[in-house]
Amino acid sequence: MKKSAPAPKTASRRKARKPADLSALLLDWYDAHRRKLPWRYDPGVTPDPYRVWLSEIMLQQTTVATVIPYFEKFTTQWPTVGDLAAAPLDDVLLAWAGLGYYARARNLHKCAGTITEQFGGVFPSDEAALKQLPGIGHYTAAAIASIAFDRPATPVDGNIERVMARLHRVETPLPDAKPELARLAAGHTPQTRSGDYAQALMDLGATVCTPRAPDCPICPCKDVCPAFAEGDPQSLPKKRAKPEKPIRRGTIYWLEWPEGEVLIRRRPEQGLLGGLWELPSTEWTALDADIQGPEQALGFAAATSISWRRLPKTVRHTFTHFHLELEVCHGVRAAKRKPKGTWVRIDQLDQYALPTVMKKVVQLVTSDPGPLFDRRPCAGRGP
Ligand code: SF4
């Protein structure tokens, strides 16, 4: 779709018509301009609920561009919900690695098992029943009910909130405005083609009614949009100021066996990055001083006798609620007996479900071209 010049800030102030016929406008636009996505179906084709569900879980907090290769990988490897349910959880976590928010992958696997065992491999079409399944909340249940089963449900994501805030000139800041925006979106939902209506709103928000530069002159809703008429669409939706993210710090211990193996461990099932693999590390805390050394981080007393050296660069990663800065200490264990633990060949680390932050550590250690170590000792984060 060709982009035209953005709406002038001081556009001639015209009175917008009420957006009563919004769904009709959007459906006409959607038929001509919808995005071609691997989980989308042409009009008249019955959607496969498995593909709709899989795409909606992957799209939570994640962009379309990031999701596409993962969606294709999953549907090639596991073409049906039964195939996914039969896969080992480790395989699913490995295929998910890099997509983030790993609780989604564990719930995905659990949900596939429930659908297969309790529903005979058939997804329920009812929003309330969908909400009972692992990993399916209010939004995802509405998305599956409307897109896969054409039920008059209304999923409301950030794109749809933005479009509604502009089309109804809602001045209440987010997140307080959420219930009002959801009610407004639901008020326009048609009895048929509700899935297409929801996807039309999503596409409009993603491609035309964008956060900073809405392309109002090509928008199908421009004649009914008060934000366009007022010339300030980018000022909506208003948002409450977010608190700054805190910084947490920690130290990673990269312990090598001379034959090219490194010690890794699995994180606890519950909590951040649950069930994934990691290089041993201290706790990640907001404290300035270290509270743990290699002995506590690695879990064996002899860790203190290893000569640890610190890499000059740190690894930085941002999670939803905090920034993380990790120092990396490198040690080679040359004793006769290997300490207990999971030792893997460094060139086979890609066969383990490592989260992105740990992949950054692997990348740093295995490809550092500069002087490998600085001269400070590496017992925790002390000077
Ligand atoms: Fe968004 Fe502009 Fe369309 Fe209004 S006219 S819905 S602000 S793109």
Side-chain angles (χ1 to χ4, degrees):
M1 192 184 313
K2 195 169 175 294
K3 280 246 173 196
S4 57
K9 268 196 168 174
T10 52
S12 55
R13 297 202 166 188
R14 302 167 295 124
K15 196 158 173 53
R17 283 192 283 127
K18 281 206 160 179
D21 48 0
L22 189 69
S23 64
L25 288 174
L26 283 165
L27 287 170
D28 284 350
W29 176 82
Y30 183 71
D31 288 341
H33 299 293
R34 69 179 177 280
R35 289 177 291 177
K36 306 278 183 249
L37 300 170
W39 48 86
R40 282 271 170 89
Y41 289 84
D42 288 336
V45 179
T46 304
D48 176 354
Y50 169 62
R51 292 170 70 89
V52 174
W53 162 72
L54 184 61
S55 65
E56 287 300 332
I57 300 292
M58 288 182 165
L59 286 164
Q60 290 168 6
Q61 323 265 3
T62 311
T63 63
V64 164
T66 303
V67 164
I68 287 174
Y70 283 90
F71 179 84
E72 286 174 340
K73 178 167 57 173
F74 267 67
T75 49
T76 302
Q77 204 164 339
W78 302 297
T80 68
V81 69
D83 296 327
L84 183 60
L89 175 60
D90 270 352
D91 289 1
V92 175
L93 288 172
L94 182 60
W96 191 275
L99 207 45
Y101 302 97
Y102 292 89
R104 290 184 297 170
R106 287 194 302 279
N107 278 328
L108 188 83
H109 190 251
K110 206 188 282 180
C111 185
T114 305
I115 294 291
T116 305
E117 286 157 25
Q118 296 178 23
F119 292 82
V122 179
F123 277 82
S125 60
D126 175 64
E127 212 178 330
L130 285 163
K131 262 193 269 187
Q132 302 302 315
L133 295 167
I136 298 188
H138 184 71
Y139 168 83
T140 308
I144 298 169
S146 63
I147 297 170
F149 298 107
D150 205 23
R151 295 286 184 105
T154 314
V156 182
D157 67 359
N159 283 324
I160 296 178
E161 285 177 345
R162 183 168 59 255
V163 174
M164 284 298 138
R166 291 171 178 174
L167 282 172
H168 289 274
R169 218 177 158 78
V170 174
E171 301 277 351
T172 310
L174 284 168
D176 299 347
K178 278 180 177 288
E180 184 182 359
L181 296 172
R183 186 177 50 73
L184 290 168
H188 296 290
T189 301
Q191 287 302 302
T192 57
R193 298 196 68 191
S194 59
D196 287 350
Y197 161 75
Q199 292 178 101
L201 275 174
M202 292 171 193
D203 281 14
L204 190 78
T207 62
V208 179
C209 194
T210 55
R212 285 185 202 89
D215 198 358
C216 299
I218 66 162
C219 178
C221 307
K222 64 178 184 292
D223 292 335
V224 296
C225 181
F228 177 50
E230 292 292 322
D232 63 348
Q234 58 280 9
S235 71
L236 295 169
K238 301 209 181 306
K239 291 185 182 162
R240 235 195 285 146
K242 280 190 191 160
E244 264 197 26
K245 285 185 189 181
I247 298 176
R248 294 189 193 171
R249 295 189 174 85
T251 302
I252 290 276
Y253 291 96
W254 175 286
L255 179 57
E256 251 180 81
W257 193 250
E259 287 134 31
E261 290 171 310
V262 65
L263 185 65
I264 62 172
R265 68 185 179 191
R266 198 193 273 276
R267 291 181 65 84
E269 281 296 321
Q270 301 303 322
L272 184 72
L273 309 176
L276 299 186
W277 292 89
E278 67 172 5
L279 283 310
S281 101
T282 60
E283 285 174 15
W284 302 342
T285 72
L287 302 176
D288 281 339
D290 244 343
I291 53 168
Q292 290 182 309
E295 182 182 338
Q296 290 86 0
L298 287 153
F300 56 90
T304 48
S305 64
I306 295 167
S307 168
W308 294 101
R309 291 189 291 178
R310 185 193 318 253
L311 268 67
K313 292 183 190 158
T314 56
V315 167
R316 289 162 198 262
H317 191 75
T318 295
F319 292 95
T320 318
H321 299 299
F322 65 94
H323 300 291
L324 178 64
E325 194 177 308
L326 292 172
E327 290 203 321
V328 182
C329 290
H330 182 283
V332 178
R333 174 82 169 154
K336 277 190 189 142
R337 263 191 311 121
K338 250 186 219 177
K340 276 191 192 149
T342 304
W343 290 87
V344 299
R345 288 188 53 82
I346 295 167
D347 58 7
Q348 289 176 0
L349 277 170
D350 59 358
Q351 294 174 21
Y352 289 77
L354 296 175
T356 302
V357 62
M358 291 298 150
K359 287 183 178 169
K360 288 181 183 177
V361 173
V362 175
Q363 174 74 10
L364 176 67
V365 175
T366 57
S367 68
D368 184 7
L372 191 53
F373 306 113
D374 73 14
R375 303 211 322 253
R376 290 173 295 163
C378 195
R381 287 200 309 275

